[in-house]
Amino acid sequence: MNEKYALYVWSSYGLTLAVLMWNLLAPYLRRNELRRHLSEPLEEVE
Amino acid sequence: MSGMSKRQKRMSAVIVLLIGVGTAAALGFTAFRKNMMYFYTPSDLLAGAAPAGATLQLGGLVEKGSLRREEGLKVAFVMADCEKQLPVSYEGILPDLFREGQGVVATGKIGIDPVSGQRMFVASQILAKHDENYMPPQVAASLKTADGKHSCAPFKSVYKPMTAATDAPRS
Amino acid sequence: MWTWFHRLASPPSFYRFADLLAPWLLALALLLLAIGTYAGLFLAPADYQQGDAFRVIYVHVPAAALSLFVYSLMAVSAAIALIWRMKLAECAVVAAAPIGASFTALALLTGMLWGKPTWGAYWVWDARLTSELVLLFLYMGVIGLNQAYSDARTAARACAWLALVGVVNVPIVHYSVQWWNSLHQGSTILSLDAIRDPKISGAMLWPLLLMLFGSFTFFFAVWLRRLQNEVLARERGARWVQELVPS
């Protein structure tokens, strides 16, 4: 219908994509970090 | 209490906490319900519910056929809830969704119309309050014949009991 | 059923169960979200009032629904954790908070981006917007509390109490548009009235349902992954963890 709403709509979808990506990546990175620590025994995590 | 196991004691603590917090919230919101209303309705203002001279929000439907465009960006229209009407004047940019028959929330002050001497509302900002119905234009056009497409139900009087608002007629 | 529940709640079997389930949930979620996004942007007709601005609904409503659902789930887990001292439930509270917080922030931000072109303002202090902001602060409180303690179990119990106290805000957010005058409109699909008498036409509704199911499935997939991490961090001394990690 009109182009003037495009920026609002695309920004909201962009933000959604960012939140989805963060929710995917954050646990993945944390797991790698945990596994790295776990493979070196007798060490405190964190 | 002595006959309870530790688990039962913890369970009671959780239940007591939930009931306590729930009751406190219910009491608090009943006492402060008026303060949490985002806007007054035309009925409220005509009943003298709001202090004179204060900047406040007024919510209602733009009465069909009442919109007059004056010089520059000046507009005048009538706002209504399910019962009362109040003339409004405004100078400035209107939101895209502003149209007759639609809900709006105006920020401004109560004033006196210099011509009629009646009470009116002088708005400094107008926001559109759309409803929860979504449909394509063709569907909307087929509904056009039906009277009163927009409901006045979302505009609840601040001074009415809570139950009255939910029983308000719907379009 | 009870024994099955107990076995699943044991950390090693939960870990393996999550490993099996999470990839399928994630695949399903991404499929639903991809179709829903395409349909919401390109197949659904524009709204008679709002034009294309209404398309924000497809990301805003799922985020807002998740923000309330995740908090409720967190409170149920909190009650289980506090009453039965179940470790997995403690982990569930801590693992849900960051996901819930991110979707609450998303609901607020997409709401602002929807409010500007339709209402005419990014933000107003009405009951719906204010209570949703309080929800974000509650989530951040749980996250902060969890980081404030060095002992994971003490932290999780403190978080559980806060999650329980804060759950009173969930019905307030949901019913705020009925209880008080607000600029925000009423519920389009998540109310009894809306189920009796649909407020959105079918061509606009189905992409929204796909987005809702997709978002909820996505939440469960990433929640399982975070739960696994919590379990792994707490059980790091246990033999099953040592066997899991190739040294």
Side-chain angles (χ1 to χ4, degrees):
Chain A
M1 187 165 106
N2 54 53
E3 289 292 305
K4 64 180 168 178
Y5 298 137
L7 189 63
Y8 298 106
V9 175
W10 285 110
S11 332
S12 59
Y13 279 71
L15 282 169
T16 304
L17 185 66
V19 166
L20 293 179
M21 292 303 287
W22 177 77
N23 274 301
L24 274 179
L25 278 177
Y28 175 78
L29 295 175
R30 168 99 173 117
R31 179 153 82 157
N32 286 353
E33 185 196 318
L34 274 169
R35 289 199 164 204
R36 225 180 13 254
H37 280 283
L38 287 168
S39 57
E40 321 159 351
L42 306 172
E43 270 220 56
E44 272 300 295
V45 178
E46 261 152 329
Chain B
M1 289 298 269
S2 57
M4 289 164 98
S5 72
K6 274 197 171 153
R7 180 167 53 78
Q8 283 169 322
K9 277 185 189 161
R10 294 196 295 260
M11 194 184 281
S12 329
V14 165
I15 292 166
V16 167
L17 177 88
L18 285 177
I19 294 174
V21 174
T23 314
L27 286 175
F29 288 134
T30 311
F32 295 107
R33 183 163 180 264
K34 282 180 210 164
N35 306 47
M36 293 190 55
M37 289 291 193
Y38 184 61
F39 52 78
Y40 291 94
T41 61
S43 303
D44 295 329
L45 293 195
L46 289 169
T55 298
L56 49 91
Q57 272 82 29
L58 171 69
L61 292 172
V62 179
E63 196 78 333
K64 285 196 179 130
S66 74
L67 180 66
R68 277 184 294 117
R69 295 191 187 268
E70 293 160 5
E71 79 272 20
L73 289 172
K74 271 193 185 162
V75 290
F77 54 92
V78 172
M79 269 170 77
D81 54 21
C82 294
E83 285 154 27
K84 294 272 169 57
Q85 301 182 321
L86 190 64
V88 178
S89 74
Y90 172 69
E91 183 169 7
I93 294 166
L94 291 164
D96 288 358
L97 257 60
F98 180 92
R99 53 202 76 172
E100 290 185 345
Q102 272 281 351
V104 287
V105 176
T107 303
K109 288 177 178 166
I110 305 169
I112 300 291
D113 187 333
V115 181
S116 67
Q118 300 284 308
R119 263 180 298 186
M120 63 174 300
F121 193 76
V122 184
S124 54
Q125 188 199 30
I126 302 270
L127 297 178
K129 174 172 166 51
H130 64 81
D131 60 25
E132 62 274 28
N133 299 304
Y134 304 93
M135 59 191 108
Q138 310 86 282
V139 179
S142 68
L143 287 179
K144 270 265 158 48
T145 45
D147 189 43
K149 190 147 56 80
H150 292 280
S151 168
C152 56
F155 304 99
K156 305 178 262 279
S157 172
V158 174
Y159 283 81
K160 271 187 198 155
M162 230 152 159
T163 47
T166 49
D167 297 335
R170 288 188 34 82
S171 62
Chain C
M1 191 251 155
W2 214 222
T3 49
W4 175 85
F5 182 75
H6 270 280
R7 208 178 313 144
L8 187 62
S10 96
S13 44
F14 165 76
Y15 196 93
R16 282 188 286 270
F17 170 73
D19 257 350
L20 284 177
L21 190 59
W24 291 103
L25 285 180
L26 186 63
L28 177 65
L30 294 179
L31 181 71
L32 289 170
L33 289 173
I35 303 172
T37 303
Y38 178 77
L41 282 173
F42 305 109
L43 301 182
D47 181 60
Y48 77 116
Q49 290 276 359
Q50 303 185 23
D52 289 321
F54 118 97
R55 297 185 194 280
V56 180
I57 200 173
Y58 297 112
V59 289
H60 176 72
V61 167
L66 263 185
S67 74
L68 292 179
F69 172 77
V70 173
Y71 203 95
S72 312
L73 195 63
M74 206 166 79
V76 171
S77 309
I80 296 172
L82 290 171
I83 297 168
W84 287 280
R85 298 276 156 109
M86 198 174 123
K87 276 188 205 165
L88 195 61
E90 289 175 10
C91 295
V93 175
V94 172
I99 313 171
S102 68
F103 280 101
T104 309
L106 183 65
L108 288 167
L109 289 169
T110 53
M112 290 169 83
L113 288 169
W114 193 6
K116 185 62 183 170
T118 53
W119 299 340
Y122 284 110
W123 185 267
V124 293
W125 292 100
D126 80 350
R128 170 54 73 80
L129 277 67
T130 309
S131 56
E132 182 77 7
L133 186 63
V134 169
L135 186 67
L136 179 63
F137 292 155
L138 283 167
Y139 273 121
M140 298 204 300
V142 173
I143 296 169
L145 212 50
N146 185 43
Q147 285 167 353
Y149 292 89
S150 51
D151 176 55
R153 292 211 80 174
T154 322
R157 283 200 204 129
C159 292
W161 284 113
L162 180 58
L164 267 186
V165 172
V167 78
V168 71
N169 190 42
V170 170
I172 293 173
V173 174
H174 184 75
Y175 291 106
S176 55
V177 288
Q178 286 177 31
W179 290 346
W180 296 290
N181 279 327
S182 59
L183 185 62
H184 196 287
Q185 66 281 8
S187 300
T188 297
I189 50 172
L190 304 168
S191 75
L192 287 176
D193 184 37
I195 291 164
R196 270 204 311 272
D197 161 29
K199 298 178 185 306
I200 176 165
S201 82
M204 295 164 149
L205 177 61
W206 70 266
L208 184 54
L209 294 179
L210 284 185
M211 292 303 275
L212 273 168
F213 284 121
S215 304
F216 275 67
T217 316
F218 180 86
F219 162 73
F220 282 106
V222 294
W223 190 43
L224 282 177
R225 289 306 191 194
R226 279 182 189 266
L227 261 162
Q228 282 187 310
N229 287 346
E230 281 300 319
V231 168
L232 213 55
R234 283 174 180 226
E235 301 269 312
R236 56 179 171 271
R239 200 156 48 127
W240 71 270
V241 174
Q242 296 301 326
E243 283 166 0
L244 196 78
V245 183
S247 43

